[in-house]
Amino acid sequence: MVLNIGPQHPSTHGVLRLRLRVDGERVTECEPIVGYMHRGAEKLYEVRDFRQIMLLANRHDWLSAFSSELGVALAAERLAGIEVPHRAVLLRMALAELNRILNHLMFIGSYPLEIGAITPMFYAFTERERLQAVMEEASGGRIHYMYNCVGGLKQDVPDGWEDRARRAVDEVEHGMVRLDKLLRHNEIFAARTKGVGVLDAAAAAAYGVSGPVARASGLDFDLRRDEPYLDYGRLEVPVVTRTEGDCYARFMCLFDQVAASIELARQCLAAAVNAPGPVNVKLPKIFRPPAGETYVWTENPLGANGYYLVSRGEKTPYRLKLRTASYANVQALATLMTGCLIPDMIAILGSMFFVVGDIDK
């Protein structure tokens, strides 16, 4: 029997369709079908100037908005040879790590919900709200921050913001203890996820999987450490890895990354307090990078995001091609679903940690 899951299904994180061939309760074949949310962002980039494309960049992965717009800004800055002020670099790193925690808290709450546990969602959103408050204070936005610009940040953070952000991070760290007790050794959660949907390192590498999903399969790869951008090269970046490659390992990699990002955010906030100065470079009203091409990739919360920028010296990009983590991660479903039971399919799907807008971009 051929069975369709989606494109509008409560467990698909959006409009993703899975066409399954099943034999009773056993899945014998899975075909992920994407494109239902296609936004044409890459084509729209070609008719928007470099201020306007930030608006598009932070919307394809709405859980990682700051990190997505950061990648576009870095590509334009590299092409134009712009050196961003040190204070802006530190604040960008701090905000990127806060955005990473926000992203992970969403999945920490929503993944257990998909397999029957509602309480973690309330706890995770309590912690998200603490960070949303400081992100909103800095940028004016709660989801689509529009805080990066070519040359740095739009404006400096309010006085005392770094201290308030550090207090929020401390509160989140304390709140994570409650979530840890609830989930890490939960017998029901473990029974639904351990040994289910195993993705080995070779298959993960073949599909181009990255981020927590790849590191849970033993691929020790993180761009912040391996190809540092911003000022990550001066920090000791903790990379969380596991080897089991199952749903439980993927979830715990994502979970433990929160503690690592909290420590990085603390270091960046402490350094920013002692780094006065401007947060942007003054540019002409109409920014025209020189003709040429460049490729920048960043360690976004869900994995490696790449930005291939081609300029012909005009105010709009000639081409801006995105390599998104979610698009690569979801391809592996074709392998992971084969042979699983239909109830396990939901557990596997949620553990791949994707945002459909980032697939269809």
Side-chain angles (χ1 to χ4, degrees), residues 186-201:
N186 186 298
E187 292 181 9
I188 301 172
F189 183 74
R192 290 297 309 275
T193 55
K194 285 190 174 180
V196 175
V198 177
L199 179 69
D200 61 50

Side-chain angles (χ1 to χ4, degrees), residues 85-125:
H86 185 54
R87 177 167 174 77
V89 171
L90 293 171
L91 287 174
R92 277 178 166 182
M93 291 167 65
L95 289 160
E97 293 306 319
L98 295 180
N99 192 199
R100 193 181 311 276
I101 299 167
L102 280 169
N103 174 292
H104 291 357
L105 282 170
M106 174 62 82
F107 287 106
I108 288 168
S110 65
Y111 181 59
L113 180 66
E114 288 165 3
I115 53 178
I118 192 171
T119 307
M121 192 63 150
F122 302 125
Y123 287 177
F125 264 72

Side-chain angles (χ1 to χ4, degrees), residues 69-340:
E69 64 188 46
L70 173 62
V72 174
L74 289 173
E77 288 158 6
R78 177 178 290 182
L79 193 59
I82 296 171
E83 186 172 347
V84 176
H86 185 54
R87 177 167 174 77
V89 171
L90 293 171
L91 287 174
R92 277 178 166 182
M93 291 167 65
L95 289 160
E97 293 306 319
L98 295 180
N99 192 199
R100 193 181 311 276
I101 299 167
L102 280 169
N103 174 292
H104 291 357
L105 282 170
M106 174 62 82
F107 287 106
I108 288 168
S110 65
Y111 181 59
L113 180 66
E114 288 165 3
I115 53 178
I118 192 171
T119 307
M121 192 63 150
F122 302 125
Y123 287 177
F125 264 72
T126 299
E127 306 313 321
R128 270 177 60 88
E129 194 58 36
R130 303 185 202 280
L131 296 182
Q132 289 283 37
V134 296
M135 295 291 281
E136 184 179 11
E137 185 186 359
S139 67
R142 288 176 56 83
I143 302 295
H144 305 302
Y145 304 108
M146 283 297 293
Y147 196 40
N148 281 284
C149 62
V150 178
L153 300 172
K154 282 200 306 184
Q155 60 194 29
D156 206 343
V157 295
D159 290 342
W161 178 86
E162 295 93 339
D163 292 331
R164 290 188 290 277
R166 280 191 284 184
R167 282 198 297 272
V169 163
D170 291 343
E171 291 168 358
V172 170
E173 185 177 48
H174 181 72
M176 289 301 294
V177 175
R178 178 170 63 172
L179 276 162
D180 190 288
K181 290 178 179 177
L182 191 65
L183 291 169
R184 189 178 296 271
H185 303 295
N186 186 298
E187 292 181 9
I188 301 172
F189 183 74
R192 290 297 309 275
T193 55
K194 285 190 174 180
V196 175
V198 177
L199 179 69
D200 61 50
Y207 279 110
V209 171
S210 57
V213 176
R215 291 193 284 271
S217 297
L219 291 182
D220 189 3
F221 176 70
D222 190 309
L223 288 169
R224 296 171 297 170
R225 179 199 64 194
D226 301 330
E227 291 191 26
Y229 54 97
L230 295 176
D231 211 16
Y232 280 112
R234 298 189 185 186
L235 298 179
E236 190 72 33
V237 178
V239 179
V240 180
T241 60
R242 297 177 79 97
T243 55
E244 300 90 342
D246 57 10
C247 294
Y248 183 82
R250 288 191 282 274
F251 181 81
M252 293 317 302
C253 255
L254 185 111
F255 192 100
D256 292 337
Q257 178 61 55
V258 171
S261 291
I262 283 174
E263 183 55 37
L264 286 173
R266 277 204 189 104
Q267 293 179 45
C268 296
L269 289 167
V273 171
N274 301 313
V279 294
N280 52 46
V281 176
K282 297 301 180 185
L283 297 175
K285 186 174 182 180
I286 299 177
F287 171 68
R288 290 186 171 90
E293 59 185 63
T294 189
Y295 182 77
V296 169
W297 57 344
T298 61
E299 186 68 35
N300 270 39
L302 297 181
N305 269 29
Y307 306 84
Y308 174 57
L309 174 63
V310 181
S311 170
R312 289 193 170 176
E314 301 166 350
K315 67 177 183 179
T316 62
Y318 175 73
R319 185 80 172 94
L320 181 50
K321 174 72 175 71
L322 300 176
R323 186 271 183 210
T324 58
S326 295
Y327 186 77
N329 289 0
V330 80
Q331 292 181 81
L333 289 172
T335 297
L336 286 179
M337 296 289 188
T338 304
C340 77

